PDB file of all heavy atoms in Angstrom:
ATOM      1  N   ASP A   1      92.138 120.108-124.050  1.00 95.00           N
ATOM      2  CA  ASP A   1      93.301 121.075-124.128  1.00 95.00           C
ATOM      3  C   ASP A   1      94.597 120.342-123.921  1.00 95.00           C
ATOM      4  O   ASP A   1      95.600 120.757-124.400  1.00 95.00           O
ATOM      5  CB  ASP A   1      93.142 122.191-123.086  1.00 95.00           C
ATOM      6  CG  ASP A   1      91.958 123.072-123.260  1.00 95.00           C
ATOM      7  OD1 ASP A   1      91.470 123.049-124.455  1.00 95.00           O
ATOM      8  OD2 ASP A   1      91.561 123.680-122.347  1.00 95.00           O
ATOM      9  N   LEU A   2      94.557 119.280-123.210  1.00 94.00           N
ATOM     10  CA  LEU A   2      95.796 118.465-122.860  1.00 94.00           C
ATOM     11  C   LEU A   2      95.450 116.932-123.013  1.00 94.00           C
ATOM     12  O   LEU A   2      94.328 116.549-122.742  1.00 94.00           O
ATOM     13  CB  LEU A   2      96.196 118.767-121.376  1.00 94.00           C
ATOM     14  CG  LEU A   2      96.702 120.140-121.078  1.00 94.00           C
ATOM     15  CD1 LEU A   2      96.912 120.291-119.526  1.00 94.00           C
ATOM     16  CD2 LEU A   2      97.987 120.525-121.723  1.00 94.00           C
ATOM     17  N   SER A   3      96.494 116.213-123.358  1.00 96.00           N
ATOM     18  CA  SER A   3      96.306 114.763-123.422  1.00 96.00           C
ATOM     19  C   SER A   3      96.465 114.109-121.994  1.00 96.00           C
ATOM     20  O   SER A   3      96.956 114.776-121.131  1.00 96.00           O
ATOM     21  CB  SER A   3      97.479 114.096-124.205  1.00 96.00           C
ATOM     22  OG  SER A   3      98.677 114.179-123.520  1.00 96.00           O
ATOM     23  N   ARG A   4      95.621 113.087-121.791  1.00 95.00           N
ATOM     24  CA  ARG A   4      95.598 112.394-120.534  1.00 95.00           C
ATOM     25  C   ARG A   4      97.046 111.982-120.110  1.00 95.00           C
ATOM     26  O   ARG A   4      97.402 112.163-118.914  1.00 95.00           O
ATOM     27  CB  ARG A   4      94.650 111.228-120.546  1.00 95.00           C
ATOM     28  CG  ARG A   4      94.500 110.542-119.260  1.00 95.00           C
ATOM     29  CD  ARG A   4      93.522 109.399-119.390  1.00 95.00           C
ATOM     30  NE  ARG A   4      93.332 108.583-118.143  1.00 95.00           N
ATOM     31  CZ  ARG A   4      93.998 107.484-117.877  1.00 95.00           C
ATOM     32  NH1 ARG A   4      94.860 106.977-118.784  1.00 95.00           N
ATOM     33  NH2 ARG A   4      93.763 106.753-116.817  1.00 95.00           N
ATOM     34  N   ALA A   5      97.800 111.476-120.961  1.00 95.00           N
ATOM     35  CA  ALA A   5      99.110 110.892-120.599  1.00 95.00           C
ATOM     36  C   ALA A   5     100.023 112.111-120.180  1.00 95.00           C
ATOM     37  O   ALA A   5     100.743 112.001-119.117  1.00 95.00           O
ATOM     38  CB  ALA A   5      99.771 110.141-121.754  1.00 95.00           C
ATOM     39  N   LYS A   6     100.055 113.216-120.941  1.00 95.00           N
ATOM     40  CA  LYS A   6     100.955 114.283-120.562  1.00 95.00           C
ATOM     41  C   LYS A   6     100.449 114.972-119.229  1.00 95.00           C
ATOM     42  O   LYS A   6     101.259 115.335-118.440  1.00 95.00           O
ATOM     43  CB  LYS A   6     100.882 115.323-121.725  1.00 95.00           C
ATOM     44  CG  LYS A   6     101.722 116.550-121.392  1.00 95.00           C
ATOM     45  CD  LYS A   6     103.187 116.238-121.197  1.00 95.00           C
ATOM     46  CE  LYS A   6     104.023 117.493-121.040  1.00 95.00           C
ATOM     47  NZ  LYS A   6     105.467 117.202-120.642  1.00 95.00           N
ATOM     48  N   THR A   7      99.071 115.049-119.114  1.00 95.00           N
ATOM     49  CA  THR A   7      98.558 115.676-117.936  1.00 95.00           C
ATOM     50  C   THR A   7      98.879 114.826-116.673  1.00 95.00           C
ATOM     51  O   THR A   7      99.104 115.385-115.639  1.00 95.00           O
ATOM     52  CB  THR A   7      96.989 115.876-118.014  1.00 95.00           C
ATOM     53  OG1 THR A   7      96.818 116.630-119.170  1.00 95.00           O
ATOM     54  CG2 THR A   7      96.493 116.576-116.934  1.00 95.00           C
ATOM     55  N   ALA A   8      98.833 113.513-116.799  1.00 96.00           N
ATOM     56  CA  ALA A   8      99.132 112.648-115.641  1.00 96.00           C
ATOM     57  C   ALA A   8     100.628 112.844-115.240  1.00 96.00           C
ATOM     58  O   ALA A   8     100.917 112.921-114.045  1.00 96.00           O
ATOM     59  CB  ALA A   8      98.981 111.162-116.054  1.00 96.00           C
ATOM     60  N   GLN A   9     101.501 113.036-116.154  1.00 96.00           N
ATOM     61  CA  GLN A   9     102.874 113.340-115.890  1.00 96.00           C
ATOM     62  C   GLN A   9     103.012 114.683-115.153  1.00 96.00           C
ATOM     63  O   GLN A   9     103.783 114.781-114.163  1.00 96.00           O
ATOM     64  CB  GLN A   9     103.753 113.337-117.110  1.00 96.00           C
ATOM     65  CG  GLN A   9     103.922 112.026-117.807  1.00 96.00           C
ATOM     66  CD  GLN A   9     104.659 112.046-119.087  1.00 96.00           C
ATOM     67  OE1 GLN A   9     104.847 113.174-119.630  1.00 96.00           O
ATOM     68  NE2 GLN A   9     104.962 110.899-119.662  1.00 96.00           N
ATOM     69  N   LEU A  10     102.340 115.628-115.609  1.00 95.00           N
ATOM     70  CA  LEU A  10     102.377 116.929-114.999  1.00 95.00           C
ATOM     71  C   LEU A  10     101.851 116.913-113.562  1.00 95.00           C
ATOM     72  O   LEU A  10     102.309 117.584-112.678  1.00 95.00           O
ATOM     73  CB  LEU A  10     101.619 117.974-115.822  1.00 95.00           C
ATOM     74  CG  LEU A  10     102.208 118.293-117.159  1.00 95.00           C
ATOM     75  CD1 LEU A  10     101.204 119.171-118.058  1.00 95.00           C
ATOM     76  CD2 LEU A  10     103.493 119.087-116.988  1.00 95.00           C
ATOM     77  N   LEU A  11     100.689 116.275-113.397  1.00 95.00           N
ATOM     78  CA  LEU A  11     100.047 116.215-112.050  1.00 95.00           C
ATOM     79  C   LEU A  11     100.904 115.415-111.114  1.00 95.00           C
ATOM     80  O   LEU A  11     101.056 115.820-110.006  1.00 95.00           O
ATOM     81  CB  LEU A  11      98.621 115.543-112.215  1.00 95.00           C
ATOM     82  CG  LEU A  11      97.850 115.406-110.965  1.00 95.00           C
ATOM     83  CD1 LEU A  11      97.717 116.752-110.210  1.00 95.00           C
ATOM     84  CD2 LEU A  11      96.523 114.842-111.204  1.00 95.00           C
ATOM     85  N   ALA A  12     101.475 114.280-111.528  1.00 95.00           N
ATOM     86  CA  ALA A  12     102.333 113.496-110.664  1.00 95.00           C
ATOM     87  C   ALA A  12     103.550 114.398-110.230  1.00 95.00           C
ATOM     88  O   ALA A  12     103.876 114.422-109.016  1.00 95.00           O
ATOM     89  CB  ALA A  12     102.809 112.195-111.386  1.00 95.00           C
ATOM     90  N   ALA A  13     104.106 115.132-111.161  1.00 95.00           N
ATOM     91  CA  ALA A  13     105.196 115.983-110.791  1.00 95.00           C
ATOM     92  C   ALA A  13     104.783 117.077-109.821  1.00 95.00           C
ATOM     93  O   ALA A  13     105.481 117.467-108.903  1.00 95.00           O
ATOM     94  CB  ALA A  13     105.891 116.637-112.084  1.00 95.00           C
ATOM     95  N   ALA A  14     103.627 117.705-110.086  1.00 93.00           N
ATOM     96  CA  ALA A  14     103.111 118.795-109.315  1.00 93.00           C
ATOM     97  C   ALA A  14     102.763 118.340-107.847  1.00 93.00           C
ATOM     98  O   ALA A  14     102.792 119.087-106.992  1.00 93.00           O
ATOM     99  CB  ALA A  14     101.926 119.430-110.008  1.00 93.00           C
ATOM    100  N   SER A  15     102.469 117.072-107.759  1.00 92.00           N
ATOM    101  CA  SER A  15     102.087 116.579-106.415  1.00 92.00           C
ATOM    102  C   SER A  15     103.316 116.344-105.421  1.00 92.00           C
ATOM    103  O   SER A  15     103.093 116.050-104.310  1.00 92.00           O
ATOM    104  CB  SER A  15     101.345 115.211-106.601  1.00 92.00           C
ATOM    105  OG  SER A  15     102.238 114.105-106.858  1.00 92.00           O
ATOM    106  N   SER A  16     104.543 116.624-105.957  1.00 91.00           N
ATOM    107  CA  SER A  16     105.716 116.395-105.106  1.00 91.00           C
ATOM    108  C   SER A  16     105.772 115.097-104.404  1.00 91.00           C
ATOM    109  O   SER A  16     106.039 115.091-103.210  1.00 91.00           O
ATOM    110  CB  SER A  16     105.794 117.583-104.049  1.00 91.00           C
ATOM    111  OG  SER A  16     105.864 118.821-104.742  1.00 91.00           O
ATOM    112  N   GLY A  17     105.465 114.046-105.130  1.00 90.00           N
ATOM    113  CA  GLY A  17     105.549 112.665-104.505  1.00 90.00           C
ATOM    114  C   GLY A  17     104.259 112.188-103.923  1.00 90.00           C
ATOM    115  O   GLY A  17     104.188 111.064-103.463  1.00 90.00           O
ATOM    116  N   GLY A  18     103.237 113.062-103.997  1.00 90.00           N
ATOM    117  CA  GLY A  18     101.905 112.602-103.420  1.00 90.00           C
ATOM    118  C   GLY A  18     101.157 111.685-104.252  1.00 90.00           C
ATOM    119  O   GLY A  18     100.322 110.940-103.781  1.00 90.00           O
ATOM    120  N   LEU A  19     101.441 111.694-105.546  1.00 93.00           N
ATOM    121  CA  LEU A  19     100.762 110.816-106.498  1.00 93.00           C
ATOM    122  C   LEU A  19     101.748 110.143-107.441  1.00 93.00           C
ATOM    123  O   LEU A  19     102.787 110.766-107.899  1.00 93.00           O
ATOM    124  CB  LEU A  19      99.774 111.542-107.436  1.00 93.00           C
ATOM    125  CG  LEU A  19      98.590 112.178-106.746  1.00 93.00           C
ATOM    126  CD1 LEU A  19      97.857 113.125-107.815  1.00 93.00           C
ATOM    127  CD2 LEU A  19      97.651 111.140-106.264  1.00 93.00           C
ATOM    128  N   THR A  20     101.529 108.791-107.564  1.00 94.00           N
ATOM    129  CA  THR A  20     102.310 108.079-108.712  1.00 94.00           C
ATOM    130  C   THR A  20     101.662 108.445-110.051  1.00 94.00           C
ATOM    131  O   THR A  20     100.650 109.100-110.031  1.00 94.00           O
ATOM    132  CB  THR A  20     102.205 106.550-108.438  1.00 94.00           C
ATOM    133  OG1 THR A  20     100.891 106.211-108.561  1.00 94.00           O
ATOM    134  CG2 THR A  20     102.815 106.247-107.060  1.00 94.00           C
ATOM    135  N   LEU A  21     102.305 107.942-111.067  1.00 94.00           N
ATOM    136  CA  LEU A  21     101.696 108.227-112.387  1.00 94.00           C
ATOM    137  C   LEU A  21     100.313 107.607-112.468  1.00 94.00           C
ATOM    138  O   LEU A  21      99.375 108.206-112.915  1.00 94.00           O
ATOM    139  CB  LEU A  21     102.623 107.657-113.451  1.00 94.00           C
ATOM    140  CG  LEU A  21     102.247 108.022-114.893  1.00 94.00           C
ATOM    141  CD1 LEU A  21     102.112 109.459-115.171  1.00 94.00           C
ATOM    142  CD2 LEU A  21     103.259 107.387-115.820  1.00 94.00           C
ATOM    143  N   LEU A  22     100.175 106.349-111.918  1.00 94.00           N
ATOM    144  CA  LEU A  22      98.902 105.672-111.969  1.00 94.00           C
ATOM    145  C   LEU A  22      97.822 106.426-111.111  1.00 94.00           C
ATOM    146  O   LEU A  22      96.767 106.613-111.480  1.00 94.00           O
ATOM    147  CB  LEU A  22      99.008 104.214-111.420  1.00 94.00           C
ATOM    148  CG  LEU A  22      97.702 103.469-111.330  1.00 94.00           C
ATOM    149  CD1 LEU A  22      97.050 103.316-112.730  1.00 94.00           C
ATOM    150  CD2 LEU A  22      98.054 102.025-110.786  1.00 94.00           C
ATOM    151  N   GLY A  23      98.290 106.900-109.955  1.00 93.00           N
ATOM    152  CA  GLY A  23      97.423 107.727-109.118  1.00 93.00           C
ATOM    153  C   GLY A  23      97.010 109.001-109.777  1.00 93.00           C
ATOM    154  O   GLY A  23      95.788 109.369-109.617  1.00 93.00           O
ATOM    155  N   ALA A  24      97.939 109.573-110.442  1.00 94.00           N
ATOM    156  CA  ALA A  24      97.578 110.857-111.171  1.00 94.00           C
ATOM    157  C   ALA A  24      96.539 110.546-112.322  1.00 94.00           C
ATOM    158  O   ALA A  24      95.642 111.281-112.477  1.00 94.00           O
ATOM    159  CB  ALA A  24      98.798 111.503-111.819  1.00 94.00           C
ATOM    160  N   GLU A  25      96.751 109.480-112.973  1.00 95.00           N
ATOM    161  CA  GLU A  25      95.776 109.080-114.036  1.00 95.00           C
ATOM    162  C   GLU A  25      94.382 108.883-113.432  1.00 95.00           C
ATOM    163  O   GLU A  25      93.392 109.329-113.996  1.00 95.00           O
ATOM    164  CB  GLU A  25      96.301 107.835-114.781  1.00 95.00           C
ATOM    165  CG  GLU A  25      97.456 108.031-115.580  1.00 95.00           C
ATOM    166  CD  GLU A  25      98.098 106.740-116.247  1.00 95.00           C
ATOM    167  OE1 GLU A  25      97.630 105.663-115.675  1.00 95.00           O
ATOM    168  OE2 GLU A  25      98.921 106.839-117.080  1.00 95.00           O
ATOM    169  N   GLN A  26      94.329 108.207-112.319  1.00 93.00           N
ATOM    170  CA  GLN A  26      93.022 107.901-111.687  1.00 93.00           C
ATOM    171  C   GLN A  26      92.395 109.222-111.192  1.00 93.00           C
ATOM    172  O   GLN A  26      91.229 109.397-111.286  1.00 93.00           O
ATOM    173  CB  GLN A  26      93.230 106.873-110.523  1.00 93.00           C
ATOM    174  CG  GLN A  26      93.569 105.510-110.993  1.00 93.00           C
ATOM    175  CD  GLN A  26      93.945 104.594-109.919  1.00 93.00           C
ATOM    176  OE1 GLN A  26      94.273 104.950-108.809  1.00 93.00           O
ATOM    177  NE2 GLN A  26      93.893 103.265-110.231  1.00 93.00           N
ATOM    178  N   ALA A  27      93.254 110.114-110.629  1.00 93.00           N
ATOM    179  CA  ALA A  27      92.701 111.337-110.095  1.00 93.00           C
ATOM    180  C   ALA A  27      92.156 112.193-111.258  1.00 93.00           C
ATOM    181  O   ALA A  27      91.163 112.873-111.108  1.00 93.00           O
ATOM    182  CB  ALA A  27      93.853 112.163-109.416  1.00 93.00           C
ATOM    183  N   ILE A  28      92.836 112.138-112.466  1.00 94.00           N
ATOM    184  CA  ILE A  28      92.321 112.878-113.599  1.00 94.00           C
ATOM    185  C   ILE A  28      90.986 112.370-114.087  1.00 94.00           C
ATOM    186  O   ILE A  28      90.047 113.087-114.375  1.00 94.00           O
ATOM    187  CB  ILE A  28      93.382 112.903-114.795  1.00 94.00           C
ATOM    188  CG1 ILE A  28      94.586 113.741-114.320  1.00 94.00           C
ATOM    189  CG2 ILE A  28      92.812 113.300-116.073  1.00 94.00           C
ATOM    190  CD1 ILE A  28      95.807 113.577-115.182  1.00 94.00           C
ATOM    191  N   ASP A  29      90.875 110.985-114.081  1.00 94.00           N
ATOM    192  CA  ASP A  29      89.723 110.373-114.552  1.00 94.00           C
ATOM    193  C   ASP A  29      88.510 110.690-113.601  1.00 94.00           C
ATOM    194  O   ASP A  29      87.327 110.842-114.010  1.00 94.00           O
ATOM    195  CB  ASP A  29      89.817 108.862-114.547  1.00 94.00           C
ATOM    196  CG  ASP A  29      90.769 108.345-115.695  1.00 94.00           C
ATOM    197  OD1 ASP A  29      91.096 109.195-116.588  1.00 94.00           O
ATOM    198  OD2 ASP A  29      91.240 107.291-115.661  1.00 94.00           O
ATOM    199  N   ASP A  30      88.753 110.809-112.335  1.00 92.00           N
ATOM    200  CA  ASP A  30      87.688 111.071-111.336  1.00 92.00           C
ATOM    201  C   ASP A  30      87.667 112.434-110.796  1.00 92.00           C
ATOM    202  O   ASP A  30      87.100 112.778-109.682  1.00 92.00           O
ATOM    203  CB  ASP A  30      87.886 110.035-110.108  1.00 92.00           C
ATOM    204  CG  ASP A  30      87.820 108.652-110.614  1.00 92.00           C
ATOM    205  OD1 ASP A  30      87.143 108.300-111.572  1.00 92.00           O
ATOM    206  OD2 ASP A  30      88.469 107.743-109.933  1.00 92.00           O
ATOM    207  N   TRP A  31      88.237 113.435-111.465  1.00 93.00           N
ATOM    208  CA  TRP A  31      88.473 114.782-110.940  1.00 93.00           C
ATOM    209  C   TRP A  31      87.181 115.430-110.470  1.00 93.00           C
ATOM    210  O   TRP A  31      87.163 116.185-109.506  1.00 93.00           O
ATOM    211  CB  TRP A  31      89.175 115.648-111.974  1.00 93.00           C
ATOM    212  CG  TRP A  31      88.353 116.083-113.112  1.00 93.00           C
ATOM    213  CD1 TRP A  31      88.223 115.450-114.349  1.00 93.00           C
ATOM    214  CD2 TRP A  31      87.638 117.321-113.228  1.00 93.00           C
ATOM    215  NE1 TRP A  31      87.405 116.161-115.128  1.00 93.00           N
ATOM    216  CE2 TRP A  31      87.015 117.308-114.506  1.00 93.00           C
ATOM    217  CE3 TRP A  31      87.413 118.393-112.373  1.00 93.00           C
ATOM    218  CZ2 TRP A  31      86.214 118.342-114.978  1.00 93.00           C
ATOM    219  CZ3 TRP A  31      86.616 119.371-112.820  1.00 93.00           C
ATOM    220  CH2 TRP A  31      86.003 119.369-114.054  1.00 93.00           C
ATOM    221  N   LYS A  32      86.022 115.177-111.111  1.00 94.00           N
ATOM    222  CA  LYS A  32      84.828 115.891-110.797  1.00 94.00           C
ATOM    223  C   LYS A  32      84.317 115.521-109.369  1.00 94.00           C
ATOM    224  O   LYS A  32      83.695 116.364-108.768  1.00 94.00           O
ATOM    225  CB  LYS A  32      83.755 115.706-111.775  1.00 94.00           C
ATOM    226  CG  LYS A  32      84.030 116.396-113.163  1.00 94.00           C
ATOM    227  CD  LYS A  32      82.895 116.088-114.096  1.00 94.00           C
ATOM    228  CE  LYS A  32      83.238 116.649-115.495  1.00 94.00           C
ATOM    229  NZ  LYS A  32      82.226 116.265-116.455  1.00 94.00           N
ATOM    230  N   ASP A  33      84.623 114.320-108.886  1.00 89.00           N
ATOM    231  CA  ASP A  33      84.140 113.841-107.619  1.00 89.00           C
ATOM    232  C   ASP A  33      85.150 113.911-106.509  1.00 89.00           C
ATOM    233  O   ASP A  33      84.749 113.663-105.379  1.00 89.00           O
ATOM    234  CB  ASP A  33      83.693 112.378-107.752  1.00 89.00           C
ATOM    235  CG  ASP A  33      82.544 112.216-108.840  1.00 89.00           C
ATOM    236  OD1 ASP A  33      81.688 113.137-108.872  1.00 89.00           O
ATOM    237  OD2 ASP A  33      82.506 111.248-109.458  1.00 89.00           O
ATOM    238  N   THR A  34      86.390 114.187-106.850  1.00 88.00           N
ATOM    239  CA  THR A  34      87.454 114.101-105.815  1.00 88.00           C
ATOM    240  C   THR A  34      87.268 115.031-104.676  1.00 88.00           C
ATOM    241  O   THR A  34      87.429 114.619-103.463  1.00 88.00           O
ATOM    242  CB  THR A  34      88.760 114.367-106.459  1.00 88.00           C
ATOM    243  OG1 THR A  34      88.931 113.337-107.528  1.00 88.00           O
ATOM    244  CG2 THR A  34      89.915 114.192-105.489  1.00 88.00           C
ATOM    245  N   ARG A  35      86.965 116.307-104.882  1.00 89.00           N
ATOM    246  CA  ARG A  35      86.803 117.243-103.776  1.00 89.00           C
ATOM    247  C   ARG A  35      85.583 116.859-102.827  1.00 89.00           C
ATOM    248  O   ARG A  35      85.877 116.796-101.642  1.00 89.00           O
ATOM    249  CB  ARG A  35      86.489 118.679-104.383  1.00 89.00           C
ATOM    250  CG  ARG A  35      86.502 119.732-103.166  1.00 89.00           C
ATOM    251  CD  ARG A  35      86.272 121.120-103.760  1.00 89.00           C
ATOM    252  NE  ARG A  35      87.384 121.613-104.573  1.00 89.00           N
ATOM    253  CZ  ARG A  35      88.456 122.217-104.153  1.00 89.00           C
ATOM    254  NH1 ARG A  35      88.648 122.480-102.854  1.00 89.00           N
ATOM    255  NH2 ARG A  35      89.348 122.569-105.075  1.00 89.00           N
ATOM    256  N   ALA A  36      84.479 116.470-103.358  1.00 88.00           N
ATOM    257  CA  ALA A  36      83.397 116.025-102.455  1.00 88.00           C
ATOM    258  C   ALA A  36      83.766 114.780-101.681  1.00 88.00           C
ATOM    259  O   ALA A  36      83.453 114.651-100.530  1.00 88.00           O
ATOM    260  CB  ALA A  36      82.169 115.815-103.326  1.00 88.00           C
ATOM    261  N   ARG A  37      84.492 113.822-102.347  1.00 85.00           N
ATOM    262  CA  ARG A  37      84.929 112.660-101.618  1.00 85.00           C
ATOM    263  C   ARG A  37      85.853 112.937-100.496  1.00 85.00           C
ATOM    264  O   ARG A  37      85.715 112.397 -99.425  1.00 85.00           O
ATOM    265  CB  ARG A  37      85.513 111.588-102.596  1.00 85.00           C
ATOM    266  CG  ARG A  37      84.463 110.779-103.362  1.00 85.00           C
ATOM    267  CD  ARG A  37      85.115 109.593-104.028  1.00 85.00           C
ATOM    268  NE  ARG A  37      86.555 109.657-104.397  1.00 85.00           N
ATOM    269  CZ  ARG A  37      87.089 110.005-105.603  1.00 85.00           C
ATOM    270  NH1 ARG A  37      86.220 110.324-106.540  1.00 85.00           N
ATOM    271  NH2 ARG A  37      88.311 110.064-105.717  1.00 85.00           N
ATOM    272  N   LEU A  38      86.800 113.817-100.756  1.00 84.00           N
ATOM    273  CA  LEU A  38      87.793 114.199 -99.737  1.00 84.00           C
ATOM    274  C   LEU A  38      87.106 114.979 -98.617  1.00 84.00           C
ATOM    275  O   LEU A  38      87.477 114.795 -97.432  1.00 84.00           O
ATOM    276  CB  LEU A  38      88.935 114.989-100.340  1.00 84.00           C
ATOM    277  CG  LEU A  38      89.862 114.127-101.259  1.00 84.00           C
ATOM    278  CD1 LEU A  38      90.933 115.089-101.872  1.00 84.00           C
ATOM    279  CD2 LEU A  38      90.527 112.965-100.577  1.00 84.00           C
ATOM    280  N   GLU A  39      86.242 115.833 -98.964  1.00 88.00           N
ATOM    281  CA  GLU A  39      85.490 116.664 -97.910  1.00 88.00           C
ATOM    282  C   GLU A  39      84.660 115.667 -97.067  1.00 88.00           C
ATOM    283  O   GLU A  39      84.601 115.806 -95.791  1.00 88.00           O
ATOM    284  CB  GLU A  39      84.669 117.699 -98.515  1.00 88.00           C
ATOM    285  CG  GLU A  39      85.446 118.882 -99.017  1.00 88.00           C
ATOM    286  CD  GLU A  39      84.569 119.796 -99.870  1.00 88.00           C
ATOM    287  OE1 GLU A  39      83.446 119.528-100.170  1.00 88.00           O
ATOM    288  OE2 GLU A  39      85.129 120.964-100.154  1.00 88.00           O
ATOM    289  N   GLY A  40      83.978 114.663 -97.680  1.00 86.00           N
ATOM    290  CA  GLY A  40      83.263 113.692 -96.882  1.00 86.00           C
ATOM    291  C   GLY A  40      84.157 112.873 -96.015  1.00 86.00           C
ATOM    292  O   GLY A  40      83.769 112.530 -94.958  1.00 86.00           O
ATOM    293  N   LEU A  41      85.250 112.434 -96.602  1.00 85.00           N
ATOM    294  CA  LEU A  41      86.217 111.607 -95.780  1.00 85.00           C
ATOM    295  C   LEU A  41      86.741 112.493 -94.560  1.00 85.00           C
ATOM    296  O   LEU A  41      86.802 111.904 -93.458  1.00 85.00           O
ATOM    297  CB  LEU A  41      87.364 111.150 -96.710  1.00 85.00           C
ATOM    298  CG  LEU A  41      88.445 110.289 -96.003  1.00 85.00           C
ATOM    299  CD1 LEU A  41      87.820 108.979 -95.389  1.00 85.00           C
ATOM    300  CD2 LEU A  41      89.511 109.951 -97.000  1.00 85.00           C
ATOM    301  N   PHE A  42      87.114 113.675 -94.763  1.00 88.00           N
ATOM    302  CA  PHE A  42      87.547 114.536 -93.803  1.00 88.00           C
ATOM    303  C   PHE A  42      86.449 114.631 -92.625  1.00 88.00           C
ATOM    304  O   PHE A  42      86.785 114.554 -91.410  1.00 88.00           O
ATOM    305  CB  PHE A  42      87.927 115.912 -94.252  1.00 88.00           C
ATOM    306  CG  PHE A  42      88.367 116.819 -93.149  1.00 88.00           C
ATOM    307  CD1 PHE A  42      89.690 116.661 -92.617  1.00 88.00           C
ATOM    308  CD2 PHE A  42      87.572 117.805 -92.698  1.00 88.00           C
ATOM    309  CE1 PHE A  42      90.110 117.571 -91.648  1.00 88.00           C
ATOM    310  CE2 PHE A  42      87.968 118.698 -91.715  1.00 88.00           C
ATOM    311  CZ  PHE A  42      89.218 118.582 -91.138  1.00 88.00           C
ATOM    312  N   ALA A  43      85.295 114.954 -93.039  1.00 89.00           N
ATOM    313  CA  ALA A  43      84.159 115.140 -92.079  1.00 89.00           C
ATOM    314  C   ALA A  43      83.920 113.881 -91.337  1.00 89.00           C
ATOM    315  O   ALA A  43      83.732 113.874 -90.039  1.00 89.00           O
ATOM    316  CB  ALA A  43      82.927 115.647 -92.853  1.00 89.00           C
ATOM    317  N   ASP A  44      83.893 112.718 -91.946  1.00 88.00           N
ATOM    318  CA  ASP A  44      83.742 111.430 -91.270  1.00 88.00           C
ATOM    319  C   ASP A  44      84.862 111.177 -90.329  1.00 88.00           C
ATOM    320  O   ASP A  44      84.642 110.601 -89.227  1.00 88.00           O
ATOM    321  CB  ASP A  44      83.620 110.279 -92.274  1.00 88.00           C
ATOM    322  CG  ASP A  44      82.282 110.265 -93.072  1.00 88.00           C
ATOM    323  OD1 ASP A  44      81.375 111.074 -92.680  1.00 88.00           O
ATOM    324  OD2 ASP A  44      82.096 109.458 -93.938  1.00 88.00           O
ATOM    325  N   THR A  45      86.156 111.470 -90.721  1.00 88.00           N
ATOM    326  CA  THR A  45      87.200 111.267 -89.845  1.00 88.00           C
ATOM    327  C   THR A  45      87.089 112.137 -88.554  1.00 88.00           C
ATOM    328  O   THR A  45      87.279 111.626 -87.457  1.00 88.00           O
ATOM    329  CB  THR A  45      88.559 111.528 -90.559  1.00 88.00           C
ATOM    330  OG1 THR A  45      88.603 110.749 -91.707  1.00 88.00           O
ATOM    331  CG2 THR A  45      89.732 111.312 -89.678  1.00 88.00           C
TER     332      THR A  45
END
């Protein structure tokens, strides 16, 4: 539905400084595993 480049720009903007453009691209590429990884990191912390 959306191009990776345009979506990365939208996600970086939506993150209010939380993600760079590169970080947004990586987050898009790994989106299916991100919630589980963050939940695991939180629990371990």
Side-chain angles (χ1 to χ4, degrees):
D1 298 337
L2 295 169
S3 73
R4 181 177 177 265
K6 179 61 178 174
T7 303
Q9 292 173 349
L10 293 170
L11 180 57
S15 75
S16 301
L19 292 171
T20 64
L21 186 56
L22 178 60
E25 289 171 348
Q26 292 171 341
I28 289 166
D29 293 343
D30 299 331
W31 74 271
K32 290 180 183 176
D33 300 323
T34 301
R35 185 177 298 269
R37 279 196 332 265
L38 291 177
E39 288 173 349
L41 180 61
F42 176 79
D44 286 353
T45 302

